[in-house]
Amino acid sequence: MRTAGPMSTTSGPSQRALEIDHLCRNRLCVNPRHLEAVTRDENYRRSLGNHRKSQCPAGHPYSGANLYVAPSGKRFCRACQRQAGIKHRKARSRKAI
């Protein structure tokens, strides 16, 4: 039987529902070597890879006063946000002239 959603296991000490984790991170992949049945908690934990990053792509630290966490949980670098705001305001002032 093939399933695209959660599947439940009938063996082992617990009967928890399992989800398919795409080890290659490509949700369209159907290669069995790239798929693993894991619990929802484990699948969620593995998806949090970006939360382990300690700095933004520009190299600023994701910590202290430089870190902003949006209500959605997404993290932003305040230094980069500030620079983007300055750039945006300059571009708008040029258009107004």
Side-chain angles (χ1 to χ4, degrees), residues 19-81:
E19 297 180 347
I20 298 299
D21 182 19
H22 295 264
L23 302 174
C24 59
R25 296 289 162 241
N26 178 358
R27 288 196 237 167
L28 300 177
C29 178
V30 294
N31 184 338
R33 292 185 306 237
H34 296 178
L35 307 176
E36 184 179 358
V38 296
T39 63
R40 178 177 291 265
D41 291 340
E42 177 65 14
N43 202 12
Y44 180 73
R45 185 187 64 75
R46 289 178 179 182
S47 73
L48 295 177
N50 283 334
H51 288 281
R52 286 180 241 169
K53 291 182 181 174
S54 61
Q55 50 185 252
C56 75
H60 304 118
Y62 276 140
S63 62
N66 192 49
L67 175 64
Y68 170 70
V69 180
S72 66
K74 186 172 181 178
R75 299 181 311 161
F76 292 95
C77 169
R78 288 187 189 265
C80 288
Q81 291 292 104

